Amino acid sequence: MAAVALKSCRKGLPHILRDGAVATLSPKALGGVRQKSSVQYATRPELPKLAYCRVKGKSPGVVFLPGYGSNMNGQKAEALEEFCKSLGHSYLRFDYTGHGLSEGVFTEGTIGTWKKDVLFVLDELTEGPQIMVGSSMGGWLMLLAAIARPEKTAALVGISTAADHIVTAFKSMSLEVRKEIEEKGVLTVPTKHSEEGTYTFTIGFLKEAENHCVLQSPIPITCPVRLIHGLKDDDVPWHISMQVAERVLSPDVDVILRRHGQHRMAEKDDIRLMVYTIDDLIDKLTTLV
């Protein structure tokens, strides 16, 4: 298993990571009040408005892609904003259609819908190549966006990447069970990450998702790729990150497995590792320039 070599902190990083743990920039450092970027809305012809928060700064910028049913206000997304501010790099986080503060109906969304959201954000709300950081389903969308927009992709960081996962899970079920699900019209998956305790996927969602699967053949991505996954992930098996690493064409791919890491990867040490990994990539990319 490859492991990323993390360099010592550059200017700004110690403010985020103090005493070996994650910490937001202190109120004192921000003049007494923690400054968050304000929510803005991107208008698209005949499509729902997308809510986003943007910090302007240097390149490469960082774009955070949340997971299924999640939003841009999670711990990882906010920690990354503080980190990018401290380094002076641009940063963007946003909500997919039907998620968080964005318009649209969540249950009508598809992988294709949310892929279009990511491409719109890259095309219209960012300048130059970006480091995309994708969490769970966001890791899948990150790969799809990198394939579609190689010129906008500087590097990729997948957190608990769920590439093809729901499709693979459905196809791995017995023929009997699949027929039963098709008759009902929905697949119900237990999860600790929703109030209902389950995620429900329609057959239409599953069939549409098949059009976006990436693991059956080589993945035409050549930028640096970092994949972080927890061995205690009960939602998305860690071997999916290994499959992604095997299939991407890039010669610069590292997989980092966290022995006690869970799906959300939101513990302090998990976020610290994510931030260090991105810091190392920024250093690598700016050194190459």
Side-chain angles (χ1 to χ4, degrees):
M1 178 187 70
V4 69
L6 300 175
K7 298 182 180 179
S8 58
C9 297
R10 292 183 295 116
K11 184 180 177 183
L13 194 53
H15 294 290
I16 304 298
L17 306 168
R18 290 198 298 269
D19 304 322
V22 175
T24 56
L25 291 171
S26 67
K28 184 178 178 183
L30 293 173
V33 180
R34 186 181 174 192
Q35 314 254 331
K36 278 191 188 179
S37 56
S38 58
V39 177
Q40 301 179 68
Y41 289 88
T43 302
R44 303 178 293 172
E46 299 179 12
L47 289 172
K49 291 180 182 177
L50 294 181
Y52 68 95
C53 293
R54 180 168 57 186
V55 175
K56 292 188 178 181
K58 297 181 291 188
S59 293
V62 177
V63 177
F64 183 77
L65 311 182
Y68 178 83
S70 188
N71 60 60
M72 63 175 168
N73 293 321
Q75 290 170 288
K76 294 189 292 291
E78 293 193 346
L80 274 182
E81 178 169 308
E82 295 303 313
F83 165 63
C84 288
K85 278 182 182 177
S86 74
L87 285 187
H89 280 261
S90 67
Y91 177 67
L92 187 128
R93 54 190 170 102
F94 71 103
D95 288 331
Y96 309 121
T97 297
H99 288 66
L101 297 174
S102 287
E103 293 181 346
V105 180
F106 174 66
T107 53
E108 293 177 2
T110 64
I111 297 299
T113 300
W114 301 322
K115 174 187 171 183
K116 285 179 184 175
D117 292 347
V118 179
L119 296 182
F120 173 83
V121 162
L122 288 175
D123 291 342
E124 303 298 330
L125 302 180
T126 69
E127 294 181 9
Q130 305 292 308
I131 298 174
M132 282 188 275
V133 182
S135 178
S136 192
M137 181 189 75
W140 186 359
L141 295 172
M142 166 190 83
L143 296 170
L144 294 172
I147 294 167
R149 297 289 189 275
E151 73 283 0
K152 294 288 288 188
T153 307
L156 303 178
V157 179
I159 314 290
S160 308
T161 299
D164 301 9
H165 176 53
I166 191 62
V167 175
T168 304
F170 176 66
K171 288 187 172 181
S172 67
M173 296 173 180
S174 68
L175 187 59
E176 260 183 88
V177 172
R178 289 207 306 271
K179 280 186 177 178
E180 187 180 331
I181 290 169
E182 286 173 356
E183 285 171 8
K184 287 182 181 176
V186 294
L187 167 62
T188 302
V189 178
T191 180
K192 295 177 286 188
H193 309 302
S194 77
E195 290 181 10
E196 298 80 14
T198 59
Y199 284 144
T200 300
F201 302 95
T202 66
I203 293 301
F205 180 95
L206 295 171
K207 291 192 179 303
E208 196 278 340
E210 282 189 53
N211 299 324
H212 306 286
C213 287
V214 295
L215 295 178
Q216 300 95 338
S217 58
I219 302 173
I221 291 173
T222 56
C223 67
V225 178
R226 304 290 180 263
L227 300 162
I228 304 172
H229 217 122
L231 295 180
K232 302 284 187 185
D233 190 336
D234 293 329
D235 295 270
V236 178
W238 58 266
H239 65 73
I240 290 180
S241 284
M242 301 300 289
Q243 289 177 314
V244 172
E246 289 168 358
R247 285 164 177 73
V248 291
L249 298 180
S250 172
D252 185 1
V253 181
D254 289 323
V255 179
I256 307 164
L257 298 179
R258 299 275 295 156
R259 178 176 292 179
H260 300 294
Q262 300 184 23
H263 183 64
R264 282 280 172 92
M265 296 292 287
E267 297 297 321
K268 288 181 179 181
D269 284 347
D270 298 329
I271 295 176
R272 178 175 64 168
L273 174 61
M274 175 188 70
V275 170
Y276 270 132
T277 302
I278 295 163
D279 182 67
D280 186 69
L281 280 170
I282 289 174
D283 191 41
K284 181 187 186 79
L285 293 166
T286 52
T287 301
L288 287 173
V289 172

